[in-house]
């Protein structure tokens, strides 16, 4: 049934006269990739499913936005590294058009004075550049250790987290599987895994490595998109999360999608349409309807009522429960825990339209297709982080830069190029406000780029800098945090987003969570949507 063919039926409790009602087996709120994954799996299981997206286009943070009058689009994410193989296989995404312009992007640790280090393959399987024999040997020991430990946790990405407290026998198998995976490491590795689990990434790197470029690059990989510095407690965990992913057949690899993020979103949308999901954009949910302790549907901002015994929210969990459901339906402890969730973003996003390809000092033509990291050392990353503690942006930002048009020139018309950069660190709540501070921050970012790519300023034809506050507004992402909640030990696994809702089920019958704010976290993974849909199907939706 299309949005123009709304049948007027009985209005449920909470509806008003003249409102129209549609009935479905399941409603999915939020048209990001997790919402589309959940909708597809529920439709495949025989449910009549409607997907409601408040924006005019699908994709969530990956949906494209036109950059001024440049003729190019920008999106928040810029690479694929965590799109889970199960999601690709179950949804048959390759048949629906998923492909890669670059399957294994190199990572280039920039240094205009010494020259760059180039980490090739999956997470630096080999390294080119002026690196000492001592550090090469140390890296050949450290890299596989980090990959092994990440794979232990990676084996549980698609498992439902066990609940805290009394655990049913069916859930004890997950804990047993985790224990067995750790034991399989062997005695020495098991002890090292447990020792490293809760420490910071800086200590791990400085135990083994001397080269500042290599340490800075890995440190930035660990904390990018988070409100953590490399010396923050448990900052090793986001690195494990990043390395748990597998793309293009390799753990720890990073890929660039052919056609950019717009093509990734279109791939999911084609799969949803193929499986009969009804997609409605411009359909903002005003509130989720609850009768006593059971969900009955949603009310849209225009007054329309959409009914279903199952509502899957693929938007921020705090927004879902506090704003769309309301505290009167929630236990006091859950309300308190939701109120204490940490989701203050510190990553800004810069997009430039360029009349020609810039040249980064010391970087070969081919390696301009990789990830270019401005992270001179661990101390440089930590110092940049220190600024946000006091409500300031960093005057020496660190960043991940990509030039997607080098590998995929069809992204722009007339030979233009795109520069996309994730910039750390900028606070969500800037002292003095972003209205006054944004231009100064943008000047700092462009000046940093100019030092690494002389003359780039003369190539710019259009530009856009999104602060965390801008990201919150544009993408409905509270706090502007890319993961919808910090990746820290107290907000991961069986505690994500809270221990009461960690298994995607809420205290309200029929209401489920499926966003990046749920296990395992953010990034273009599809796993929260996959796990939630599987749990719904297994439970019958109750």
């Amino acid at each position: 049934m299309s949005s123009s063919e709304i049948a007027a039926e009985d209005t449920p409790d909470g509806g008003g006269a003249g409102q129209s009602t549609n009935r479905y087996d399941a409603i999915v709120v939020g048209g990001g990739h997790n919402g589309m994954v959940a909708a597809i799996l529920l439709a495949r299981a025989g449910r009549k499913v409607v997907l409601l997206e408040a924006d005019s286009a699908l994709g969530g943070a990956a949906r494209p936005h036109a950059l001024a009058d440049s003729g190019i689009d920008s999106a928040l994410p810029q690479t694929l590294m965590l799109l889970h193989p199960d999601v690709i296989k179950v949804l048959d995404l390759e048949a629906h058009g998923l492909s890669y312009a670059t399957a294994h992007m190199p990572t280039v640790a920039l240094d205009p004075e010494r020259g760059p280090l180039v980490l090739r393959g999956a997470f630096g399987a080999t390294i080119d550049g002026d690196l000492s024999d001592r550090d090469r040997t140390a890296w050949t020991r450290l890299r596989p250790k980090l990959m092994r430990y990440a794979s232990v946790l990676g084996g549980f990405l698609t498992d439902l987290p066990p609940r805290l407290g009394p655990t049913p026998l069916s859930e004890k198998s997950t804990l047993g599987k985790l224990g067995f995976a750790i034991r399989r490491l062997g005695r020495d590795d098991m002890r090292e895994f447990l020792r490293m689990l809760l420490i910071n990434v800086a200590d791990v790197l400085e135990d083994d490595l001397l080269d500042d470029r290599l340490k800075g690059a890995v440190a930035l990989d660990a904390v990018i998109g988070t409100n953590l510095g490399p010396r923050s407690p448990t900052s090793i965990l986001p690195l494990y999360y990043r390395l748990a992913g597998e793309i293009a057949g390799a753990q720890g690899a990073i890929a660039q999608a052919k056609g950019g993020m717009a093509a990734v979103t279109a791939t999911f949308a084609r799969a949803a349409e193929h499986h009969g999901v009804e997609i409605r954009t411009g359909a903002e949910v005003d509130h989720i309807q609850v009768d006593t302790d059971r969900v009955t549907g949603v009310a849209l901002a225009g007054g329309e009522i959409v009914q279903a015994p199952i509502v899957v929210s693929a938007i921020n969990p705090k927004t879902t429960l506090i704003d769309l459901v309301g505290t009167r339906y929630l236990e006091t402890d859950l309300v308190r825990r939701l109120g204490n969730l940490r989701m203050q973003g510190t990553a800004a996003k810069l997009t430039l339209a360029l009349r020609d390809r810039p040249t980064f000092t010391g970087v070969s033509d081919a390696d301009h297709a990789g990830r270019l990291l401005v992270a001179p050392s661990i101390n440089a990353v930590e110092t940049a982080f220190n600024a946000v503690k006091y409500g300031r942006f960093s005057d020496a930002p660190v960043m991940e830069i990509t030039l997607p048009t080098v590998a995929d020139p069809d992204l722009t018309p007339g030979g233009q190029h795109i520069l996309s950069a994730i910039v750390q660190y900028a606070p969500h709540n800037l002292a003095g406000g972003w209205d006054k501070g944004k231009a100064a921050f943008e000047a700092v970012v462009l000046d940093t780029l100019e030092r690494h790519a002389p003359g780039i300023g003369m190539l710019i034809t259009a530009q856009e800098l999104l602060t965390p506050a801008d990201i919150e507004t544009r993408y409905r992402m509270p706090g502007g945090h890319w993961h919808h909640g910090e990746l820290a030990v107290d907000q991961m696994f069986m505690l994500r987003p809270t221990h009461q809702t960690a298994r995607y089920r809420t205290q309200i019958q029929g209401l489920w969570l499926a966003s990046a704010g749920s296990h395992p976290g953010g990034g273009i993974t599809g796993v929260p949507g996959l796990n939630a849909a599987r749990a719904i199907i297994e439970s019958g939706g109750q």
Side-chain angles (χ1 to χ4, degrees), residues 36 39-41 43 49-51 271-279:
M36 287 189 276
I40 292 165
L41 290 180
V49 181
V50 62
L51 177 68
E273 291 167 354
H274 175 77
H275 289 287
V277 175
E278 180 180 328
I279 297 171

Side-chain angles (χ1 to χ4, degrees), residues 80 99-106 248 254-258 369-370 404 406-408:
L80 290 177
S99 62
Y100 308 114
T102 304
H104 296 160
M105 297 176 71
I254 301 172
Q256 178 186 322
K258 178 70 174 176
V406 174
D408 193 358

Side-chain angles (χ1 to χ4, degrees), residues 434-448:
W434 279 111
D435 287 344
K436 295 181 178 179
K438 186 172 181 178
F441 181 52
E442 193 162 13
V444 167
V445 174
L446 294 176
D447 184 61
T448 302

Side-chain angles (χ1 to χ4, degrees), residues 65-74 351-353 411-413 416-418:
H65 280 265
L67 180 62
D69 296 322
S70 64
I72 68 172
D73 291 327
S74 68
T351 307
L352 301 179
L411 286 173
T412 57
Q416 294 184 89
H417 280 271
I418 300 170

Side-chain angles (χ1 to χ4, degrees), residues 44 87-97 267 271 275:
R44 281 184 47 177
V87 173
I88 295 173
K89 181 179 179 180
V90 170
L91 273 60
D92 202 10
L93 293 182
E94 291 177 348
H96 291 289
T267 296
H275 289 287

Side-chain angles (χ1 to χ4, degrees), residues 392-481:
R392 304 193 307 266
F393 58 75
S394 171
D395 57 7
V398 292
M399 60 184 82
E400 177 198 73
I401 303 160
T402 63
L403 298 164
T405 39
V406 174
D408 193 358
D410 292 338
L411 286 173
T412 57
Q416 294 184 89
H417 280 271
I418 300 170
L419 182 144
S420 176
I422 301 171
V423 184
Q424 303 264 158
Y425 287 87
H428 175 263
N429 297 316
L430 181 70
W434 279 111
D435 287 344
K436 295 181 178 179
K438 186 172 181 178
F441 181 52
E442 193 162 13
V444 167
V445 174
L446 294 176
D447 184 61
T448 302
L449 284 175
E450 190 73 29
R451 290 199 298 272
H452 291 275
I456 191 172
M458 301 296 293
L459 303 177
I460 299 172
T461 60
Q463 63 192 60
E464 178 183 67
L465 179 69
L466 298 178
T467 69
D470 295 326
I471 291 167
E472 176 178 47
T473 300
R474 174 175 290 186
Y475 298 107
R476 302 169 187 261
M477 191 179 290
H481 197 295

Side-chain angles (χ1 to χ4, degrees), residues 297-310:
V298 304
L300 301 186
E304 179 189 345
I305 305 301
V306 185
Q307 287 185 328
I310 298 171

